[in-house]
Amino acid sequence: MKWKKYTIETTTQAEDYMAGMLGDLGIEGIEIEDNIPLSKEDQADMFIDFLPELPPDEGISHVSFYVEDDGSDQAELLKNVKKGLEELRGMVEVGSGVISSSETEDLDWINNWKKYFSSFTIEDILIKPTWEELKEEDKDKFLIEIDPGISFGTGKHETTQLCIRQLLKYIRGNADYTPQNRAPKVLDVGCGSGILSIVALKLGASEVVGTDLDADCMISTRENMEVNHLDASLGTFYVGNLIDDEELQQKVGNEEYDIVVANILADVIIPMAPVIPARMKKGGYFITSGIIDFKEQEVVDAIREAGLEVVEVNHQGEWVNVTARKN
């Protein structure tokens, strides 16, 4: 399907008025582009570690909307948009108000990204997208299948790989380290597609509990557990913010977990650190990543201040894993 994209050149002062006017005309899917830097509050709310470089903000905004290009005459709609523009001029500086148009394809955003996700290995684990055929030579490998759907987590990102390597070490063990508890109970904070929960279970965890802010993650996680032939009773998942939701903290439980894993962002891990030790058993491990390298020391300090001992710091590219123990 093709769409007509109409873009109004206006001012940042008027962009909200413009969006409201278009909404009143029954237009949905409005897109606003400007160069206004995010405030500190917005940056914190969006959990952004670093900001993109933007051109100077000159007060110009572009407000776009889309109309299905089905061959029908759109002159009446554009007439009403222009009329609305003129009415706004009496309330706010709208700038040039020039409307430009272009055509765009109705792309399948849910599926187009799949061409960038193909099978790969982390040590001896083969992680394969569900839509890709399993090669004959891979049929005997330690296999995990993932379809992130609309959730975060294919396993290919450096931060996820850092966490998986730590789960390998602290659940299955290696030549230098063999865990005492070979069937730990695991808490996965920010579970996303469920990949870390699934890795933990397939490595031998007795049970996983996961949390995420996004309810859609519960669907993705459940579907991925089923694809990997894992009993649904092995996982319990909650929607909510573990940082300040006391009811969720009680549901998750106290001193229950041998391993807590959190692949989120530094600006989430830092305020979350104080509530993690209460969830952990004595001798348990807190495995974190999602930490950009210049935030490493802040995260290390926050974890230490929470009373945990930092036992490992690992790097992959510009990303960092911090692993700590509750003594």
Side-chain angles (χ1 to χ4, degrees):
M1 184 184 297
K2 290 186 176 180
W3 297 78
K4 278 278 192 182
K5 177 182 179 180
Y6 294 98
T7 300
I8 306 168
E9 184 176 277
T10 185
T11 66
T12 53
Q13 182 185 358
E15 59 188 22
D16 288 338
Y17 292 90
M18 201 74 66
M21 179 269 290
L22 294 172
D24 290 342
L25 293 174
I27 295 171
E28 299 177 351
I30 296 164
E31 178 182 274
I32 298 176
E33 298 173 87
D34 59 40
N35 294 327
I36 300 175
L38 287 178
S39 67
K40 290 285 187 182
E41 291 77 13
D42 289 338
Q43 188 177 346
D45 288 343
M46 296 173 70
F47 303 130
I48 295 174
D49 272 331
F50 53 95
L51 298 173
E53 291 187 10
L54 295 174
D57 175 25
E58 297 179 345
I60 297 173
S61 176
H62 294 89
V63 179
S64 300
F65 61 95
Y66 297 81
V67 180
E68 184 180 341
D69 189 7
D70 56 3
S72 61
D73 187 6
Q74 294 160 7
E76 185 65 23
L77 175 62
L78 289 175
K79 178 182 175 182
N80 289 331
V81 170
K82 291 175 181 177
K83 181 181 177 181
L85 266 169
E86 293 309 309
E87 290 174 353
L88 286 179
R89 288 188 188 277
M91 295 184 285
V92 66
E93 174 55 53
V94 301
S96 71
V98 171
I99 303 175
S100 58
S101 66
S102 60
E103 289 187 354
T104 183
E105 295 286 341
D106 184 14
L107 299 175
D108 186 356
W109 298 109
I110 294 293
N111 293 305
N112 279 1
W113 64 272
K114 290 182 177 180
K115 60 187 175 184
Y116 302 107
F117 177 26
S118 56
S119 295
F120 66 101
T121 58
I122 300 176
E123 297 190 19
D124 65 333
I125 298 177
L126 173 67
I127 297 178
K128 182 187 80 65
T130 54
W131 56 87
E132 189 177 284
E133 288 293 324
L134 182 64
K135 297 175 184 176
E136 188 66 33
E137 62 266 29
D138 292 333
K139 288 189 175 177
D140 293 329
K141 289 187 176 178
F142 188 111
L143 176 66
I144 290 175
E145 295 189 273
I146 289 290
D147 183 350
I150 53 179
S151 301
F152 174 82
T154 64
K156 212 156 191 176
H157 195 274
E158 291 95 331
T159 62
T160 315
Q161 293 186 31
L162 284 162
C163 287
I164 290 174
R165 287 192 174 92
Q166 294 303 92
L167 289 173
L168 275 163
K169 176 175 179 178
Y170 288 97
I171 298 178
R172 188 170 67 184
N174 58 29
D176 300 320
Y177 176 83
T178 300
Q180 291 182 342
N181 187 350
R182 304 301 293 270
K185 185 174 181 180
V186 176
L187 173 61
D188 182 2
V189 185
C191 58
S193 66
I195 184 167
L196 296 179
S197 291
I198 290 165
V199 168
L201 287 170
K202 296 201 79 168
L203 287 173
S206 60
E207 179 185 352
V208 295
V209 173
T211 70
D212 204 285
L213 298 177
D214 187 350
D216 290 328
C217 293
M218 308 299 109
I219 299 170
S220 297
T221 297
R222 286 294 182 195
E223 290 176 347
N224 283 317
M225 284 185 66
E226 185 176 347
V227 165
N228 285 278
H229 312 292
L230 293 168
D231 192 319
S233 66
L234 296 175
T236 305
F237 300 94
Y238 301 106
V239 178
N241 189 339
L242 197 63
I243 295 173
D244 54 15
D245 187 334
E246 293 183 5
E247 183 179 348
L248 177 60
Q249 292 169 11
Q250 293 307 308
K251 287 179 180 178
V252 166
N254 297 320
E255 298 186 353
E256 290 197 21
Y257 299 94
D258 303 284
I259 294 174
V260 177
V261 61
N263 182 28
I264 314 180
L265 281 173
D267 285 341
V268 183
I269 296 168
I270 290 167
M272 186 175 67
V275 306
I276 294 299
R279 319 275 83 80
M280 300 167 65
K281 294 178 182 176
K282 185 176 181 179
Y285 288 89
F286 182 31
I287 296 169
T288 71
S289 194
I291 305 159
I292 195 69
D293 50 14
F294 59 80
K295 293 272 188 174
E296 175 184 327
Q297 193 57 50
E298 290 181 61
V299 174
V300 167
D301 291 344
I303 289 174
R304 285 176 174 155
E305 287 171 13
L308 301 178
E309 177 194 1
V310 173
V311 294
E312 283 191 63
V313 176
N314 300 293
H315 300 84
Q316 186 171 339
E318 60 186 353
W319 299 97
V320 182
N321 150 253
V322 179
T323 298
R325 180 173 55 226
K326 179 179 178 179
N327 294 324

